[in-house]
């Protein structure tokens, strides 16, 4: 049912062999303003040809090409005349399929890990304009022992004779190292040489051009139909809203369910951001209903489930009032697309994402206008479409909101205390100029009380925890090294200004073993 946006830009296909850097490779290509997609190594050669790629990149992978069940590729792909760059496992696979020999490096102590001095042949187009001795990031247990016919070595290291190979006639290139990783000093030059000089890409992928073609496609698709969008105020649903607003204006209705568990003033900020966007904007103030449903509940998973269910009910009731709906918008982004089908990871927390509501409103089709974009591209698109900077750079906020930042049962008073304390923390982080370097920061109201002395009297009040993390993917994270003087200022202000808090702690755990949110 979901709609895949077609793409009319020049295309690079990234064939995924299970490497840990598959997304990173795709992002590095997009950063060069060239559109790419990650596809499975199981994709048939006919399908690949049908997509008309300007070039193909094979990712690394954990396997050994000489093992029976390791991922392989049809030999035919090498005779299509489409340039191919194999990275690590991808390079070994290319050499193996073309008749070279791959061996285990462990046995002959030829394995290489980390930054490695690499000598390159700058006559090769792949290395054009680069300095001939460079640092490359290695991570391999196997190595190319014998080259396939037609290939020559174009780089070597102290341990590795064939650190890069080239079959110029067939436009085939392989590198044993990882150009996509920042530790490879001239990695982006290498990718640029491959994409521009070897594949002949012109770099036509910009968010302006994407917005233009997406708007056109949405108009064609929607016609005079009616579109519904669940707006959370998060960057994805906000950008999707702006794009749909531009495409179909008044045919779009946005429903913003304010569950009363947003950060201080946030509900109003979201409303104001969309007030003049030309869409029908409906804000439902459902705080009372959510508080009632959550009364006395302290189990984190129960809280999440209740909020998810209440959300759906409120949304459904409002959607029904609108009458006929033809399309429902979802803010799915490309990492979700790549990761879906990635396996059965244990459920740590049941995430609730507004925007994921396909089953309970009657509609014809889902529109996913951000399905091809990485997060940084979504932000760029938002700026291109004129979305307010605060929303473009808004830090992630969990769907269940402050409910999972109040440990134990939730009361209106606790919500108020947390909103005030959190606002002060965020304000001081901005004042200290740290808001872009700390990726997520917020306050948590613990269910612990402790004794303090305020004025001349005894107090017995809440302990507040502050959390700040640095991360690039939110899958792993490190606690942010916030300077003590900033923490001190925050602590003094919160205790003096908020009331109900007499002790403040800073969370110094990383993820793993912790998670970013406390619940
Ligand atoms: P954890 O706590 O699992 O969080 O380390 C990772 C990131 O996800 C955010 N988060 C959520 N986002 N719905 C969301 O849309 C949710 O239910 C949810 N729970 C956590 C969290 O803020 C962090 O950025």
């Amino acid at each position: 049912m979901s709609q895949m946006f077609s793409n009319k830009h020049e295309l690079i296909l990234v064939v995924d062999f299970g490497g840990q850097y598959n997304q990173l490779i795709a992002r590095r290509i997009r950063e060069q303003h060239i559109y790419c997609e990650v596809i499975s190594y199981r994709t048939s050669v006919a399908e690949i040809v049908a997509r008309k790629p300007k070039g193909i990149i094979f990712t690394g992978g954990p396997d050994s090409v000489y093992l029976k069940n390791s991922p392989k590729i049809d030999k035919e792909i090498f005779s299509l005349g489409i340039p191919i760059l194999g990275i690590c496992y991808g390079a070994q696979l290319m050499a193996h399929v073309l008749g070279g020999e791959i061996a285990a490096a462990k046995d002959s102590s030829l394995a290489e890990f980390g930054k490695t001095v690499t000598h390159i042949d700058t006559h090769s187009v792949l290395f054009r304009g680069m300095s001939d001795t460079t640092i490359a990031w290695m991570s391999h247990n196997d190595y190319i022992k014998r080259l396939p016919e037609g290939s020559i070595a174009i780089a070597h290291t102290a341990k590795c004779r064939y650190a890069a190979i080239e079959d110029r006639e067939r436009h085939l290139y392989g590198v044993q190292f990882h150009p996509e990783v920042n530790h490879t000093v001239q990695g982006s030059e290498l990718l640029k040489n491959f994409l521009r000089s070897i594949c002949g890409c012109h770099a036509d992928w910009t968010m302006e051009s994407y917005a233009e073609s997406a708007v056109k496609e949405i108009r064609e698709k929607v016609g005079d139909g009616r579109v519904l969008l669940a707006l959370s105020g998060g960057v994805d649903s906000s950008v999707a809203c702006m794009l749909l607003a531009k495409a179909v204006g008044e045919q779009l209705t946005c429903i913003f369910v304010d569950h009363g568990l947003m950060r201080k003033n946030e509900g109003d900020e979201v409303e104001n951001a969309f007030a003049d966007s030309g869409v029908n904007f409906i804000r439902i103030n459902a705080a009372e209903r959510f508080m009632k449903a959550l009364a006395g509940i302290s189990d984190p998973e129960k809280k999440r489930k209740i909020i998810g269910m209440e959300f759906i009910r409120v949304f459904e009731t409002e959607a029904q009032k609108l009458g006929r709906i033809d399309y429902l918008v979802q803010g799915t982004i490309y990492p979700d697309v790549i990761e879906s089908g990635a396996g059965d990871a244990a459920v740590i927390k049941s995430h609730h994402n507004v925007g994921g509501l396909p089953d309970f409103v009657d509609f014809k089709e889902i529109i996913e206008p951000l399905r091809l974009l990485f997060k940084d591209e979504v932000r760029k698109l938002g700026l291109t479409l004129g979305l307010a900077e605060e929303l473009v750079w808004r830090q992630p906020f969990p769907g269940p909101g402050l409910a999972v930042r109040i440990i134990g049962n939730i009361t209106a008073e606790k919500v108020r205390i947390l909103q005030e304390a959190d606002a002060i923390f965020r304000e001081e982080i901005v004042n200290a100029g740290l808001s872009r370097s700390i990726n997520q920061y917020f306050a948590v109201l613990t269910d612990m009380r402790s004794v303090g002395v305020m004025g001349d009297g005894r107090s017995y009040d809440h302990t507040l925890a502050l959390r700040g993390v640095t991360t690039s993917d939110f899958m792993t994270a490190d606690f942010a090294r916030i300077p003590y003087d900033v923490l001190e200022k925050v602590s003094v202000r919160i205790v003096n200004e908020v009331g109900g808090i007499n002790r403040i702690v800073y969370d110094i755990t990383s993820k793993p073993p912790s998670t970013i949110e406390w619940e």
Side-chain angles (χ1 to χ4, degrees), residues 460-479:
Y460 187 60
D461 280 333
H462 290 289
T463 298
L464 184 87
L466 303 175
R467 181 76 160 140
V469 295
T470 53
T471 173
S472 56
D473 55 11
F474 298 89
M475 309 283 283
T476 60
D478 198 4
F479 74 89

Side-chain angles (χ1 to χ4, degrees), residues 304 349-353 396-400 405 440 474 511 515-519:
R304 282 175 174 273
K349 299 175 186 180
S350 46
H351 273 209
H352 154 62
N353 291 304
F397 186 59
R405 292 180 181 171
Q440 197 172 358
F474 298 89
K511 173 185 178 178
T515 52
I516 295 174
E517 303 288 346
W518 277 36
E519 289 194 338

Side-chain angles (χ1 to χ4, degrees), residues 330-491:
Q330 274 194 289
T332 319
I333 66 171
Y334 199 45
D336 309 331
V337 176
I338 299 180
E339 273 159 24
S340 61
D344 304 322
V347 176
I348 308 291
K349 299 175 186 180
S350 46
H351 273 209
H352 154 62
N353 291 304
V354 289
L357 304 156
D359 290 335
F360 21 79
V361 181
D362 213 10
F363 60 95
K364 261 197 329 219
E365 213 176 306
I366 294 176
I367 298 182
E368 297 180 302
L370 311 178
R371 195 180 161 84
L372 301 178
L373 307 184
F374 284 107
K375 197 79 172 185
D376 51 337
E377 293 175 317
V378 173
R379 290 194 211 280
K380 268 192 215 145
L381 179 61
L383 291 172
T384 304
L385 294 167
L387 184 67
E389 292 243 348
E390 309 87 78
L391 287 186
V392 169
W393 293 109
R394 190 178 185 256
Q395 29 172 330
F397 186 59
L402 299 183
V404 292
R405 292 180 181 171
I406 294 172
I407 312 304
N409 72 323
I410 300 164
T411 63
E413 174 63 0
K414 285 184 185 174
V415 173
R416 187 202 61 80
I417 291 175
L418 182 56
Q419 279 177 334
E420 296 297 330
D422 180 70
I424 292 171
F425 182 37
R426 287 188 293 127
E427 192 181 311
E428 290 302 334
I429 291 292
V430 172
N431 289 345
L434 298 171
S435 60
R436 289 280 170 91
S437 53
I438 304 176
N439 304 96
Q440 197 172 358
Y441 47 96
F442 53 89
V444 174
L445 190 64
T446 76
D447 60 351
M448 205 190 99
R449 283 170 184 248
S450 69
V451 175
V453 48
M454 294 256 239
D456 286 330
R458 176 185 189 271
S459 66
Y460 187 60
D461 280 333
H462 290 289
T463 298
L464 184 87
L466 303 175
R467 181 76 160 140
V469 295
T470 53
T471 173
S472 56
D473 55 11
F474 298 89
M475 309 283 283
T476 60
D478 198 4
F479 74 89
R481 273 48 172 180
I482 298 176
Y484 281 165
D485 56 341
V486 177
L487 289 173
E488 182 184 11
K489 206 165 177 188
V490 173
S491 159

Side-chain angles (χ1 to χ4, degrees), residues 4-61:
M4 186 71 181
F5 268 63
S6 65
N7 171 59
K8 298 187 181 72
H9 298 267
E10 47 191 17
L11 170 71
I12 296 291
L13 288 177
V14 178
V15 182
D16 185 8
F17 289 97
Q20 53 176 326
Y21 301 129
N22 58 7
Q23 285 203 32
L24 193 56
I25 295 171
R27 283 180 52 198
R28 293 280 174 263
I29 300 169
R30 300 265 188 108
E31 276 166 17
Q32 310 248 4
H33 302 294
I34 293 164
Y35 180 72
C36 67
E37 279 181 34
V38 180
I39 58 168
S40 161
Y41 70 91
R42 294 188 186 88
T43 312
S44 72
V45 172
E47 276 174 82
I48 290 175
V49 172
R51 300 291 311 273
K52 298 198 178 75
K54 302 271 289 186
I56 297 170
I57 292 184
F58 292 173
T59 74

Side-chain angles (χ1 to χ4, degrees), residues 121 124 147-155 161-162 164-168 172-174:
D121 177 356
S124 168
L147 289 179
E149 213 170 298
S151 290
I152 57 164
I154 50 170
R161 270 177 81 188
Y162 307 127
I165 61 172
E166 165 187 288
D167 179 338
R168 186 178 274 200
L172 306 178
Y173 296 81

Side-chain angles (χ1 to χ4, degrees), residues 9-313:
H9 298 267
E10 47 191 17
L11 170 71
I12 296 291
L13 288 177
V14 178
V15 182
D16 185 8
F17 289 97
Q20 53 176 326
Y21 301 129
N22 58 7
Q23 285 203 32
L24 193 56
I25 295 171
R27 283 180 52 198
R28 293 280 174 263
I29 300 169
R30 300 265 188 108
E31 276 166 17
Q32 310 248 4
H33 302 294
I34 293 164
Y35 180 72
C36 67
E37 279 181 34
V38 180
I39 58 168
S40 161
Y41 70 91
R42 294 188 186 88
T43 312
S44 72
V45 172
E47 276 174 82
I48 290 175
V49 172
R51 300 291 311 273
K52 298 198 178 75
K54 302 271 289 186
I56 297 170
I57 292 184
F58 292 173
T59 74
D63 284 277
S64 291
V65 297
Y66 46 78
L67 298 179
K68 197 163 159 249
N69 293 323
S70 58
K72 298 287 186 329
I73 195 109
D74 192 329
K75 192 174 179 181
E76 194 195 338
I77 198 162
F78 299 109
S79 48
L80 300 172
I82 301 171
I84 300 178
L85 172 66
I87 296 175
C88 197
Y89 181 89
Q92 294 163 8
L93 182 68
M94 179 188 280
H96 173 75
V97 174
L98 293 172
E101 187 185 341
I102 311 302
K106 295 203 272 289
D107 306 341
S108 43
S109 51
L110 292 177
E112 291 174 301
F113 290 96
K115 293 179 187 174
T116 308
V117 175
T118 305
H119 305 281
I120 59 178
D121 177 356
T122 53
H123 294 103
S124 168
V125 186
L126 192 64
F127 298 136
R128 191 183 276 164
M130 293 166 54
S131 53
D132 56 10
T133 301
T134 190
I135 299 293
W137 179 259
M138 294 282 186
S139 177
H140 62 109
N141 277 318
D142 288 344
Y143 74 110
I144 302 172
K145 192 171 178 185
R146 184 169 47 76
L147 289 179
E149 213 170 298
S151 290
I152 57 164
I154 50 170
H156 67 273
T157 69
K159 284 184 176 179
C160 183
R161 270 177 81 188
Y162 307 127
I165 61 172
E166 165 187 288
D167 179 338
R168 186 178 274 200
E169 211 165 292
R170 288 194 280 179
H171 315 291
L172 306 178
Y173 296 81
V175 287
Q176 187 53 77
F177 52 89
H178 288 270
E180 71 277 20
V181 171
N182 277 337
H183 299 307
T184 296
V185 176
Q186 300 182 97
S188 45
E189 282 90 334
L190 184 157
L191 288 174
K192 188 171 177 185
N193 283 338
F194 178 70
L195 299 165
R196 305 287 289 261
S197 305
I198 297 171
C199 302
C201 291
H202 296 95
D204 65 350
W205 174 250
T206 62
M207 285 305 107
E208 286 81 7
S209 66
Y210 177 76
E212 208 176 291
S213 52
V215 163
K216 197 161 156 267
E217 270 191 50
I218 293 167
R219 280 191 191 140
E220 277 166 19
K221 164 134 221 133
V222 169
D224 59 1
R226 297 186 62 193
V227 185
L228 179 62
L229 183 147
L231 189 78
S232 69
V235 59
D236 300 341
S237 67
S238 298
V239 173
C241 178
M242 291 298 276
L243 194 59
L244 266 295
K246 196 159 182 210
V248 295
E250 284 186 3
Q251 288 161 255
L252 172 68
T253 302
C254 292
I255 298 182
F256 165 46
V257 177
D258 186 348
H259 49 29
L261 296 156
M262 305 282 282
R263 288 169 285 206
K264 189 180 175 186
N265 299 333
E266 201 162 35
D268 295 342
E269 282 164 20
V270 172
E271 185 171 348
N272 292 339
F274 294 95
D276 304 322
S277 63
V279 301
N280 303 304
F281 181 89
I282 301 175
R283 175 177 177 179
I284 310 294
N285 291 312
E288 235 173 83
R289 179 180 176 143
F290 278 83
M291 287 307 286
K292 227 186 237 166
L294 286 166
I297 305 291
S298 51
D299 177 72
E301 274 301 288
K302 272 195 194 140
K303 283 185 193 171
R304 282 175 174 273
K305 296 243 157 73
I306 289 171
I307 291 173
M309 278 311 298
E310 287 302 308
F311 187 89
I312 287 165
R313 286 195 195 123

